[in-house]
Amino acid sequence: MSGIISETRATDSNASCDWIGRARIRAAESHDAFVVIDCSAVDRISTRELGELIRLHLDCKRSERQLVLENVHDCVAEVIHLTRLDRLIRFDQGHCV
């Protein structure tokens, strides 16, 4: 795993999916087998962001790559687990609270 995409949450509610959009662009520019996103700055996730995350996962899968979320906050990890996205997307909670 070479390139880690580190993202920050947008403070503007109109741009709530910016961190996923930036991750999508960087993933498209990369040819690594794993698309790793550092989510340490993402402390909550909206339903729209979940949809974008699924879309990013499908894009990665089509190009035979795997999406990996690192440093996922507990509340975001809980949403991922409750929606059963943890069956599709590999993630590591790290040490975020």
Side-chain angles (χ1 to χ4, degrees):
M1 287 188 247
S2 56
I4 294 178
I5 301 169
S6 178
E7 293 304 329
T8 58
R9 170 173 274 288
T11 54
D12 180 3
S13 62
N14 293 329
S16 65
C17 291
D18 274 358
W19 67 275
I20 296 175
R22 287 189 303 272
R24 178 183 300 284
I25 291 168
R26 290 185 187 160
E29 294 171 348
S30 168
H31 298 291
D32 295 333
F34 295 91
V35 176
V36 181
I37 302 175
D38 179 0
C39 297
S40 57
V42 180
D43 59 355
R44 62 189 184 281
I45 190 163
S46 70
T47 55
R48 183 175 178 192
E49 290 169 324
L50 285 172
E52 290 296 315
L53 202 55
I54 292 168
R55 208 164 103 196
L56 178 56
H57 161 73
L58 293 173
D59 290 346
C60 290
K61 188 175 178 179
R62 271 193 284 287
S63 61
E64 298 180 2
R65 299 185 301 165
Q66 184 174 10
L67 178 62
V68 179
L69 305 179
E70 285 191 343
N71 301 314
V72 178
H73 283 265
D74 290 340
C75 60
V76 175
E78 184 177 352
V79 171
I80 290 172
H81 177 71
L82 289 172
T83 57
R84 297 188 179 189
L85 288 177
D86 55 345
R87 295 180 179 187
L88 298 177
I89 301 170
R90 191 170 124 191
F91 77 100
D92 170 34
Q93 282 180 260
H95 297 289
C96 295
V97 178

Coordinates of all heavy atoms in Angstrom, one line a residue:
M1 N 0.8 -1.2 0.0 CA 0.0 0.0 0.0 C 0.9 1.2 0.0 O 1.5 1.5 1.0 CB -0.9 0.0 1.2 CG -2.0 -1.0 1.2 SD -3.1 -0.7 2.6 CE -2.8 -2.2 3.5
S2 N 0.9 1.9 -1.1 CA 1.8 3.1 -1.1 C 1.1 4.4 -0.8 O 1.4 5.0 0.2 CB 2.5 3.2 -2.4 OG 1.6 3.2 -3.5
G3 N 0.2 4.8 -1.6 CA -0.4 6.2 -1.4 C -1.6 6.1 -0.4 O -2.6 5.4 -0.7
I4 N -1.5 6.9 0.6 CA -2.7 7.1 1.5 C -3.3 8.4 1.2 O -2.7 9.4 1.2 CB -2.3 7.0 3.0 CG1 -1.7 5.6 3.3 CG2 -3.4 7.3 3.9 CD1 -1.3 5.4 4.7
I5 N -4.6 8.4 1.0 CA -5.4 9.6 0.7 C -5.9 10.1 2.1 O -6.7 9.4 2.7 CB -6.5 9.3 -0.2 CG1 -6.0 8.7 -1.5 CG2 -7.4 10.6 -0.5 CD1 -7.1 8.2 -2.4
S6 N -5.4 11.2 2.5 CA -5.8 11.8 3.8 C -6.8 12.9 3.5 O -6.6 13.8 2.7 CB -4.6 12.4 4.5 OG -4.9 13.0 5.7
E7 N -7.9 12.8 4.2 CA -9.0 13.7 3.9 C -9.5 14.4 5.2 O -9.4 13.9 6.3 CB -10.2 13.0 3.3 CG -9.9 12.4 2.0 CD -9.5 13.5 0.9 OE1 -9.9 14.6 1.0 OE2 -8.7 13.1 0.1
T8 N -10.0 15.6 5.0 CA -10.6 16.4 6.0 C -12.1 16.6 5.7 O -12.5 16.6 4.5 CB -10.0 17.8 6.2 OG1 -10.0 18.5 5.0 CG2 -8.5 17.6 6.6
R9 N -12.9 16.7 6.7 CA -14.3 16.9 6.5 C -14.6 18.4 6.1 O -14.0 19.3 6.7 CB -15.1 16.6 7.8 CG -16.6 17.1 7.7 CD -17.3 16.6 8.9 NE -17.8 15.3 8.7 CZ -18.8 14.9 7.9 NH1 -19.4 15.8 7.1 NH2 -19.2 13.7 7.8
A10 N -15.4 18.6 5.1 CA -15.8 19.9 4.7 C -16.6 20.6 5.8 O -17.5 19.9 6.4 CB -16.6 19.9 3.4
T11 N -16.4 21.8 6.1 CA -17.1 22.5 7.1 C -18.4 23.1 6.5 O -19.4 23.4 7.2 CB -16.3 23.7 7.8 OG1 -15.9 24.5 6.7 CG2 -15.2 23.1 8.5
D12 N -18.5 23.3 5.2 CA -19.7 23.8 4.6 C -20.6 22.6 4.3 O -20.3 21.7 3.7 CB -19.2 24.5 3.2 CG -20.4 25.0 2.4 OD1 -21.6 25.0 2.9 OD2 -20.2 25.5 1.3
S13 N -21.8 22.7 4.8 CA -22.8 21.6 4.7 C -23.2 21.4 3.2 O -23.6 20.3 2.9 CB -24.1 21.9 5.5 OG -24.7 23.1 5.0
N14 N -23.0 22.4 2.4 CA -23.3 22.1 0.9 C -22.2 21.3 0.3 O -22.4 20.8 -0.8 CB -23.4 23.5 0.2 CG -24.6 24.3 0.7 OD1 -25.6 23.7 1.0 ND2 -24.5 25.6 0.7
A15 N -21.1 21.2 0.9 CA -20.0 20.4 0.3 C -19.7 19.2 1.1 O -18.5 18.8 1.3 CB -18.8 21.4 0.2
S16 N -20.7 18.6 1.7 CA -20.5 17.5 2.6 C -19.7 16.3 2.0 O -19.1 15.5 2.7 CB -21.8 17.0 3.2 OG -22.6 16.5 2.2
C17 N -19.8 16.1 0.7 CA -19.2 14.9 0.1 C -17.8 15.3 -0.5 O -17.2 14.5 -1.2 CB -20.1 14.3 -1.0 SG -21.5 13.5 -0.3
D18 N -17.3 16.5 -0.2 CA -16.0 16.9 -0.7 C -14.9 15.9 -0.4 O -14.1 15.7 -1.3 CB -15.6 18.3 -0.2 CG -16.2 19.4 -1.0 OD1 -16.9 19.1 -2.0 OD2 -16.0 20.6 -0.7
W19 N -14.8 15.4 0.8 CA -13.7 14.5 1.1 C -13.8 13.2 0.3 O -12.7 12.7 -0.1 CB -13.7 14.2 2.6 CG -14.8 13.4 3.1 CD1 -16.1 13.9 3.5 CD2 -14.9 12.0 3.3 NE1 -16.8 12.8 4.0 CE2 -16.2 11.7 3.9 CE3 -14.0 10.9 3.1 CZ2 -16.6 10.4 4.2 CZ3 -14.4 9.7 3.5 CH2 -15.6 9.4 4.0
I20 N -14.9 12.7 -0.1 CA -15.1 11.6 -0.9 C -14.8 11.9 -2.4 O -14.1 11.2 -3.1 CB -16.5 10.9 -0.8 CG1 -16.6 10.4 0.7 CG2 -16.6 9.8 -1.8 CD1 -18.0 9.8 0.9
G21 N -15.2 13.1 -2.8 CA -14.9 13.6 -4.1 C -13.4 13.7 -4.4 O -12.9 13.3 -5.4
R22 N -12.7 14.3 -3.4 CA -11.3 14.4 -3.5 C -10.6 13.0 -3.5 O -9.7 12.8 -4.3 CB -10.7 15.3 -2.4 CG -11.0 16.7 -2.6 CD -10.2 17.6 -1.6 NE -10.5 17.2 -0.2 CZ -11.5 17.7 0.5 NH1 -12.3 18.6 0.0 NH2 -11.6 17.3 1.8
A23 N -11.1 12.1 -2.7 CA -10.6 10.7 -2.7 C -10.8 10.0 -4.0 O -10.0 9.3 -4.5 CB -11.3 9.9 -1.6
R24 N -12.0 10.3 -4.6 CA -12.3 9.7 -5.9 C -11.3 10.2 -7.0 O -10.8 9.4 -7.8 CB -13.7 10.1 -6.3 CG -14.2 9.6 -7.7 CD -15.5 10.0 -8.1 NE -16.6 9.6 -7.2 CZ -17.1 8.3 -7.1 NH1 -16.6 7.4 -7.9 NH2 -18.0 8.0 -6.2
I25 N -11.0 11.5 -7.0 CA -10.1 12.0 -8.0 C -8.7 11.4 -7.8 O -8.1 11.0 -8.7 CB -10.0 13.6 -7.9 CG1 -11.4 14.2 -8.3 CG2 -8.9 14.1 -8.7 CD1 -11.6 15.6 -8.0
R26 N -8.2 11.4 -6.5 CA -6.9 10.8 -6.3 C -6.8 9.3 -6.6 O -5.8 8.8 -7.1 CB -6.5 11.1 -4.8 CG -6.2 12.5 -4.6 CD -5.7 12.8 -3.2 NE -5.6 14.2 -2.9 CZ -5.6 14.7 -1.7 NH1 -5.6 13.9 -0.7 NH2 -5.5 16.0 -1.6
A27 N -7.9 8.6 -6.3 CA -8.0 7.2 -6.6 C -7.9 7.0 -8.1 O -7.3 6.0 -8.6 CB -9.3 6.6 -6.1
A28 N -8.6 7.8 -8.9 CA -8.5 7.7 -10.4 C -7.1 8.0 -10.9 O -6.7 7.4 -11.9 CB -9.5 8.7 -11.0
E29 N -6.4 8.8 -10.2 CA -5.0 9.2 -10.7 C -4.0 8.1 -10.2 O -2.9 8.0 -10.8 CB -4.6 10.5 -10.1 CG -5.4 11.7 -10.7 CD -5.2 13.0 -10.0 OE1 -4.5 13.0 -8.9 OE2 -5.6 14.0 -10.5
S30 N -4.4 7.3 -9.3 CA -3.5 6.3 -8.7 C -3.7 4.9 -9.4 O -4.8 4.6 -9.9 CB -3.7 6.1 -7.2 OG -3.1 5.0 -6.7
H31 N -2.7 4.1 -9.4 CA -2.8 2.8 -10.0 C -2.5 1.7 -8.9 O -2.2 0.6 -9.3 CB -1.9 2.6 -11.2 CG -2.3 3.6 -12.3 ND1 -3.5 3.5 -13.0 CD2 -1.7 4.7 -12.8 CE1 -3.6 4.4 -13.9 NE2 -2.5 5.2 -13.8
D32 N -2.5 2.1 -7.7 CA -2.2 1.1 -6.6 C -3.3 0.1 -6.5 O -4.5 0.4 -6.8 CB -2.0 1.9 -5.2 CG -0.8 2.8 -5.3 OD1 0.1 2.6 -6.0 OD2 -0.9 3.8 -4.5
A33 N -3.0 -1.1 -6.0 CA -4.0 -2.1 -5.8 C -4.9 -1.8 -4.6 O -6.1 -2.3 -4.7 CB -3.3 -3.4 -5.4
F34 N -4.5 -1.0 -3.7 CA -5.3 -0.6 -2.6 C -5.5 1.0 -2.6 O -4.6 1.7 -2.8 CB -4.7 -0.9 -1.2 CG -4.6 -2.4 -1.0 CD1 -3.5 -3.1 -1.4 CD2 -5.7 -3.1 -0.5 CE1 -3.4 -4.5 -1.2 CE2 -5.6 -4.5 -0.3 CZ -4.4 -5.2 -0.7
V35 N -6.8 1.4 -2.5 CA -7.1 2.8 -2.4 C -7.3 3.0 -0.9 O -8.4 2.6 -0.4 CB -8.3 3.2 -3.2 CG1 -8.7 4.6 -3.0 CG2 -8.1 2.9 -4.7
V36 N -6.4 3.6 -0.2 CA -6.4 3.8 1.2 C -6.8 5.2 1.6 O -6.1 6.2 1.1 CB -5.1 3.4 1.9 CG1 -5.2 3.6 3.4 CG2 -4.7 2.0 1.5
I37 N -7.9 5.4 2.3 CA -8.3 6.7 2.7 C -8.2 6.9 4.2 O -8.8 6.1 5.0 CB -9.8 7.0 2.3 CG1 -9.9 6.8 0.8 CG2 -10.2 8.4 2.7 CD1 -11.4 6.9 0.3
D38 N -7.4 7.9 4.7 CA -7.3 8.2 6.1 C -8.5 9.0 6.5 O -8.6 10.2 6.1 CB -6.0 8.9 6.3 CG -5.8 9.3 7.8 OD1 -6.7 9.0 8.6 OD2 -4.8 9.9 8.1
C39 N -9.4 8.4 7.3 CA -10.6 9.1 7.7 C -10.5 9.7 9.1 O -11.6 10.0 9.7 CB -11.8 8.1 7.7 SG -12.1 7.5 6.0
S40 N -9.3 10.0 9.6 CA -9.2 10.5 11.0 C -9.9 11.8 11.2 O -10.3 12.1 12.3 CB -7.7 10.6 11.4 OG -7.0 11.4 10.5
A41 N -10.1 12.6 10.1 CA -10.8 13.9 10.3 C -12.3 13.8 10.0 O -13.0 14.8 10.2 CB -10.1 14.9 9.3
V42 N -12.8 12.6 9.7 CA -14.2 12.4 9.5 C -14.8 11.8 10.7 O -14.6 10.7 11.0 CB -14.4 11.5 8.2 CG1 -15.9 11.3 7.9 CG2 -13.7 12.1 7.0
D43 N -15.6 12.7 11.4 CA -16.2 12.2 12.7 C -17.7 11.8 12.6 O -18.2 11.3 13.5 CB -16.0 13.2 13.8 CG -16.6 14.6 13.5 OD1 -17.1 14.8 12.3 OD2 -16.6 15.5 14.3
R44 N -18.3 12.0 11.4 CA -19.6 11.6 11.2 C -19.8 11.4 9.7 O -19.0 11.9 8.9 CB -20.6 12.6 11.7 CG -20.6 14.0 11.1 CD -21.5 15.0 11.8 NE -21.5 16.2 11.1 CZ -20.5 17.2 11.2 NH1 -19.5 16.9 12.0 NH2 -20.6 18.3 10.6
I45 N -20.8 10.7 9.3 CA -21.0 10.4 7.9 C -22.5 10.5 7.6 O -23.3 9.9 8.3 CB -20.4 9.0 7.5 CG1 -20.4 8.9 6.0 CG2 -21.1 7.9 8.2 CD1 -19.5 7.8 5.5
S46 N -22.9 11.2 6.5 CA -24.3 11.3 6.1 C -24.7 10.2 5.2 O -23.8 9.5 4.7 CB -24.4 12.7 5.4 OG -23.8 12.7 4.1
T47 N -26.0 10.1 4.9 CA -26.4 9.1 4.0 C -25.9 9.4 2.6 O -25.6 8.4 1.8 CB -28.0 9.0 4.0 OG1 -28.5 10.3 3.7 CG2 -28.5 8.5 5.3
R48 N -25.8 10.6 2.2 CA -25.3 11.0 0.9 C -23.8 10.5 0.8 O -23.4 10.0 -0.2 CB -25.4 12.5 0.7 CG -24.9 12.9 -0.7 CD -25.1 14.4 -0.9 NE -24.6 14.7 -2.2 CZ -24.4 15.9 -2.6 NH1 -24.8 16.9 -1.9 NH2 -23.9 16.2 -3.8
E49 N -23.0 10.7 1.9 CA -21.6 10.3 1.9 C -21.5 8.8 1.8 O -20.6 8.2 1.2 CB -20.9 10.8 3.1 CG -20.7 12.3 3.1 CD -20.2 12.9 4.4 OE1 -20.7 12.5 5.4 OE2 -19.4 13.9 4.3
L50 N -22.5 8.1 2.5 CA -22.5 6.6 2.4 C -22.7 6.2 0.9 O -22.0 5.3 0.5 CB -23.6 6.0 3.3 CG -23.3 6.0 4.8 CD1 -24.6 5.6 5.5 CD2 -22.1 5.1 5.1
G51 N -23.6 6.8 0.3 CA -23.9 6.5 -1.1 C -22.6 6.8 -2.0 O -22.3 6.0 -2.9
E52 N -22.0 7.9 -1.8 CA -20.7 8.2 -2.5 C -19.6 7.2 -2.2 O -18.8 6.8 -3.1 CB -20.3 9.6 -2.2 CG -21.1 10.7 -2.8 CD -21.2 10.7 -4.3 OE1 -20.1 10.5 -4.9 OE2 -22.3 10.7 -4.9
L53 N -19.6 6.7 -0.9 CA -18.6 5.7 -0.5 C -18.8 4.4 -1.3 O -17.9 3.8 -1.7 CB -18.6 5.6 1.0 CG -17.4 5.0 1.7 CD1 -16.2 5.8 1.4 CD2 -17.7 4.9 3.2
I54 N -20.1 4.0 -1.4 CA -20.4 2.8 -2.1 C -20.0 3.0 -3.6 O -19.5 2.0 -4.2 CB -21.9 2.5 -2.0 CG1 -22.3 2.1 -0.5 CG2 -22.4 1.4 -2.9 CD1 -23.7 2.1 -0.2
R55 N -20.3 4.1 -4.1 CA -19.9 4.4 -5.5 C -18.4 4.3 -5.7 O -17.9 3.7 -6.7 CB -20.5 5.7 -6.0 CG -20.7 5.8 -7.4 CD -21.6 7.0 -7.8 NE -20.7 8.0 -8.3 CZ -21.0 9.2 -8.5 NH1 -22.1 9.7 -8.0 NH2 -20.1 10.1 -9.0
L56 N -17.7 4.8 -4.8 CA -16.2 4.8 -4.8 C -15.8 3.3 -4.7 O -14.9 2.9 -5.4 CB -15.6 5.6 -3.8 CG -14.0 5.6 -3.7 CD1 -13.4 6.0 -5.0 CD2 -13.6 6.5 -2.6
H57 N -16.4 2.6 -3.8 CA -16.1 1.1 -3.7 C -16.3 0.4 -5.0 O -15.5 -0.4 -5.4 CB -16.9 0.5 -2.6 CG -17.0 -1.0 -2.7 ND1 -16.0 -1.8 -2.4 CD2 -18.0 -1.8 -3.1 CE1 -16.3 -3.1 -2.6 NE2 -17.6 -3.1 -3.0
L58 N -17.4 0.7 -5.7 CA -17.7 0.0 -6.9 C -16.7 0.4 -8.0 O -16.3 -0.4 -8.8 CB -19.2 0.3 -7.4 CG -20.3 -0.3 -6.5 CD1 -21.6 0.2 -6.9 CD2 -20.2 -1.8 -6.5
D59 N -16.3 1.7 -8.0 CA -15.3 2.1 -9.0 C -14.0 1.3 -8.8 O -13.4 0.9 -9.7 CB -15.1 3.6 -8.9 CG -16.2 4.5 -9.4 OD1 -17.1 3.9 -10.1 OD2 -16.2 5.7 -9.1
C60 N -13.6 1.2 -7.5 CA -12.4 0.5 -7.2 C -12.5 -1.0 -7.6 O -11.6 -1.6 -8.2 CB -12.1 0.6 -5.7 SG -11.6 2.2 -5.2
K61 N -13.7 -1.6 -7.3 CA -13.9 -3.0 -7.7 C -13.8 -3.2 -9.2 O -13.2 -4.2 -9.6 CB -15.2 -3.4 -7.1 CG -15.5 -4.9 -7.3 CD -16.8 -5.3 -6.6 CE -17.0 -6.8 -6.8 NZ -18.3 -7.2 -6.1
R62 N -14.4 -2.3 -10.0 CA -14.3 -2.4 -11.4 C -12.9 -2.4 -11.9 O -12.6 -3.0 -12.9 CB -15.1 -1.3 -12.1 CG -16.6 -1.6 -12.3 CD -17.3 -0.7 -13.2 NE -17.6 0.6 -12.6 CZ -18.6 0.9 -11.8 NH1 -19.3 0.1 -11.3 NH2 -18.9 2.1 -11.3
S63 N -12.0 -1.6 -11.3 CA -10.6 -1.6 -11.7 C -9.8 -2.5 -10.9 O -8.5 -2.4 -10.9 CB -10.1 -0.1 -11.6 OG -10.2 0.3 -10.2
E64 N -10.4 -3.5 -10.3 CA -9.7 -4.6 -9.6 C -8.8 -4.1 -8.5 O -7.7 -4.5 -8.3 CB -8.9 -5.5 -10.6 CG -9.9 -6.2 -11.6 CD -9.1 -7.1 -12.5 OE1 -7.9 -7.2 -12.4 OE2 -9.8 -7.6 -13.4
R65 N -9.3 -3.1 -7.7 CA -8.6 -2.6 -6.6 C -9.5 -2.7 -5.4 O -10.7 -2.9 -5.5 CB -8.2 -1.1 -6.8 CG -7.3 -1.0 -8.0 CD -6.7 0.3 -8.3 NE -7.8 1.3 -8.5 CZ -7.6 2.6 -8.5 NH1 -6.4 3.1 -8.2 NH2 -8.6 3.4 -8.7
Q66 N -9.0 -2.5 -4.2 CA -9.7 -2.5 -3.0 C -9.7 -1.2 -2.2 O -8.6 -0.6 -2.0 CB -9.2 -3.7 -2.1 CG -10.1 -3.9 -0.9 CD -9.6 -5.0 0.0 OE1 -8.6 -5.6 -0.2 NE2 -10.4 -5.4 1.0
L67 N -10.9 -0.8 -1.8 CA -11.0 0.4 -1.0 C -10.8 0.1 0.5 O -11.3 -0.9 1.0 CB -12.4 1.0 -1.2 CG -12.7 2.3 -0.4 CD1 -11.8 3.4 -0.7 CD2 -14.2 2.7 -0.6
V68 N -9.9 0.8 1.1 CA -9.6 0.6 2.5 C -9.7 1.9 3.3 O -9.1 2.9 2.9 CB -8.2 0.1 2.7 CG1 -7.9 -0.1 4.2 CG2 -7.9 -1.2 1.9
L69 N -10.5 2.0 4.3 CA -10.7 3.2 5.2 C -9.8 3.0 6.4 O -10.0 2.0 7.1 CB -12.1 3.4 5.5 CG -13.1 3.5 4.4 CD1 -14.5 3.7 4.9 CD2 -12.8 4.6 3.4
E70 N -9.0 3.9 6.7 CA -8.1 3.8 7.9 C -8.5 4.9 8.9 O -9.0 6.0 8.5 CB -6.7 4.0 7.5 CG -6.1 2.8 6.9 CD -4.6 2.9 6.8 OE1 -4.0 4.0 6.9 OE2 -3.9 1.8 6.6
N71 N -8.2 4.6 10.2 CA -8.5 5.6 11.3 C -9.9 6.1 11.3 O -10.2 7.3 11.4 CB -7.5 6.8 11.2 CG -6.1 6.3 11.2 OD1 -5.7 5.5 12.1 ND2 -5.3 6.8 10.3
V72 N -10.8 5.1 11.2 CA -12.3 5.4 11.2 C -12.7 5.7 12.7 O -12.5 4.8 13.5 CB -13.0 4.3 10.6 CG1 -14.5 4.6 10.6 CG2 -12.6 4.0 9.2
H73 N -13.4 6.8 12.9 CA -14.0 7.1 14.2 C -15.0 6.1 14.6 O -15.7 5.5 13.7 CB -14.6 8.5 14.2 CG -13.6 9.6 14.3 ND1 -13.2 10.2 15.5 CD2 -12.9 10.2 13.3 CE1 -12.3 11.2 15.2 NE2 -12.1 11.2 13.9
D74 N -15.2 5.9 15.9 CA -16.1 4.9 16.4 C -17.6 5.1 15.8 O -18.2 4.1 15.4 CB -16.2 4.9 17.9 CG -14.9 4.3 18.5 OD1 -14.2 3.6 17.8 OD2 -14.7 4.6 19.7
C75 N -18.0 6.3 15.8 CA -19.4 6.6 15.4 C -19.6 6.3 13.9 O -20.6 5.8 13.4 CB -19.9 8.0 15.7 SG -18.9 9.3 15.0
V76 N -18.6 6.6 13.1 CA -18.6 6.3 11.7 C -18.5 4.8 11.5 O -19.2 4.2 10.6 CB -17.4 7.0 10.9 CG1 -17.4 6.6 9.4 CG2 -17.6 8.5 11.0
A77 N -17.6 4.1 12.3 CA -17.5 2.6 12.2 C -18.8 2.0 12.5 O -19.2 1.0 11.9 CB -16.4 2.2 13.1
E78 N -19.5 2.5 13.5 CA -20.8 2.0 13.9 C -21.9 2.0 12.7 O -22.6 1.1 12.5 CB -21.4 2.7 15.1 CG -22.7 2.1 15.6 CD -23.2 2.8 16.9 OE1 -22.4 3.6 17.5 OE2 -24.3 2.4 17.3
V79 N -21.9 3.2 12.1 CA -22.8 3.3 10.9 C -22.4 2.4 9.8 O -23.3 1.7 9.2 CB -22.8 4.8 10.4 CG1 -23.5 4.9 9.1 CG2 -23.3 5.7 11.4
I80 N -21.1 2.2 9.5 CA -20.6 1.3 8.5 C -21.1 -0.1 8.9 O -21.5 -0.9 8.0 CB -19.1 1.4 8.3 CG1 -18.8 2.7 7.7 CG2 -18.6 0.2 7.5 CD1 -17.3 3.0 7.6
H81 N -21.0 -0.5 10.2 CA -21.3 -1.8 10.6 C -22.9 -2.0 10.5 O -23.3 -3.0 10.0 CB -20.8 -2.1 12.0 CG -21.3 -3.4 12.6 ND1 -20.7 -4.6 12.1 CD2 -22.2 -3.7 13.5 CE1 -21.3 -5.6 12.8 NE2 -22.2 -5.1 13.6
L82 N -23.6 -1.0 11.0 CA -25.1 -1.1 11.0 C -25.7 -1.2 9.6 O -26.7 -1.9 9.4 CB -25.7 0.1 11.7 CG -25.6 0.1 13.2 CD1 -26.1 1.4 13.8 CD2 -26.3 -1.1 13.9
T83 N -25.0 -0.6 8.6 CA -25.5 -0.7 7.2 C -24.9 -1.8 6.5 O -25.1 -2.0 5.3 CB -25.1 0.6 6.5 OG1 -23.7 0.9 6.6 CG2 -25.9 1.8 7.1
R84 N -24.1 -2.6 7.2 CA -23.4 -3.8 6.7 C -22.4 -3.5 5.6 O -22.1 -4.4 4.8 CB -24.4 -4.9 6.3 CG -25.2 -5.3 7.5 CD -26.1 -6.5 7.1 NE -26.8 -6.9 8.3 CZ -27.5 -8.0 8.4 NH1 -27.6 -8.8 7.4 NH2 -28.1 -8.3 9.5
L85 N -22.0 -2.3 5.5 CA -20.9 -1.9 4.5 C -19.6 -2.5 4.9 O -18.7 -2.6 4.0 CB -20.8 -0.4 4.4 CG -22.0 0.3 3.7 CD1 -21.8 1.8 3.6 CD2 -22.2 -0.3 2.3
D86 N -19.5 -2.9 6.1 CA -18.2 -3.6 6.5 C -18.0 -4.9 5.8 O -16.9 -5.4 5.8 CB -18.1 -3.7 8.0 CG -19.3 -4.5 8.6 OD1 -20.3 -4.7 8.0 OD2 -19.2 -4.9 9.8
R87 N -19.0 -5.4 5.2 CA -18.9 -6.6 4.4 C -18.3 -6.3 3.0 O -17.8 -7.2 2.3 CB -20.3 -7.3 4.2 CG -20.8 -7.8 5.5 CD -22.2 -8.5 5.2 NE -22.7 -9.0 6.5 CZ -23.8 -9.7 6.6 NH1 -24.5 -10.0 5.5 NH2 -24.2 -10.1 7.7
L88 N -18.4 -5.0 2.6 CA -17.9 -4.6 1.3 C -16.6 -3.9 1.4 O -15.7 -4.1 0.6 CB -18.9 -3.7 0.6 CG -20.3 -4.2 0.2 CD1 -21.1 -3.1 -0.4 CD2 -20.2 -5.4 -0.7
I89 N -16.5 -3.0 2.3 CA -15.4 -2.1 2.5 C -14.5 -2.4 3.7 O -15.0 -2.5 4.8 CB -15.9 -0.6 2.6 CG1 -16.7 -0.2 1.4 CG2 -14.7 0.3 2.7 CD1 -17.5 1.1 1.5
R90 N -13.3 -2.6 3.4 CA -12.3 -3.0 4.5 C -12.0 -1.7 5.3 O -11.8 -0.6 4.7 CB -11.1 -3.5 3.9 CG -10.1 -4.1 4.9 CD -9.0 -4.8 4.2 NE -7.8 -4.3 4.6 CZ -6.6 -4.5 4.1 NH1 -6.5 -5.3 3.0 NH2 -5.5 -4.0 4.5
F91 N -12.1 -1.8 6.6 CA -11.8 -0.6 7.4 C -11.1 -0.9 8.7 O -11.3 -2.0 9.2 CB -13.0 0.3 7.6 CG -14.0 -0.2 8.6 CD1 -14.0 0.3 9.9 CD2 -14.9 -1.2 8.3 CE1 -14.9 -0.1 10.9 CE2 -15.8 -1.6 9.3 CZ -15.8 -1.1 10.5
D92 N -10.4 0.0 9.2 CA -9.7 -0.1 10.4 C -10.1 1.1 11.3 O -9.9 2.2 10.9 CB -8.2 -0.1 10.2 CG -7.3 0.0 11.4 OD1 -7.8 -0.5 12.5 OD2 -6.3 0.7 11.4
Q93 N -10.6 0.8 12.5 CA -11.0 1.9 13.4 C -9.8 2.7 13.9 O -10.0 3.9 14.3 CB -11.8 1.4 14.6 CG -13.2 1.0 14.2 CD -14.0 0.5 15.3 OE1 -14.1 -0.7 15.4 NE2 -14.5 1.3 16.2
G94 N -8.7 2.1 14.0 CA -7.5 2.9 14.5 C -7.7 3.3 15.9 O -8.3 2.5 16.7
H95 N -7.2 4.4 16.3 CA -7.3 4.9 17.7 C -8.2 6.1 17.8 O -8.0 6.9 18.7 CB -6.0 5.1 18.3 CG -5.2 3.8 18.3 ND1 -5.4 2.8 19.2 CD2 -4.1 3.4 17.6 CE1 -4.6 1.8 19.0 NE2 -3.8 2.2 18.0
C96 N -9.0 6.4 16.8 CA -9.9 7.6 16.9 C -11.1 7.4 17.8 O -11.6 6.3 17.9 CB -10.4 8.0 15.5 SG -9.1 8.4 14.4
V97 N -11.5 8.4 18.5 CA -12.7 8.3 19.3 C -13.8 9.2 18.9 O -13.6 10.3 18.4 CB -12.3 8.6 20.8 CG1 -13.5 8.6 21.7 CG2 -11.2 7.7 21.3

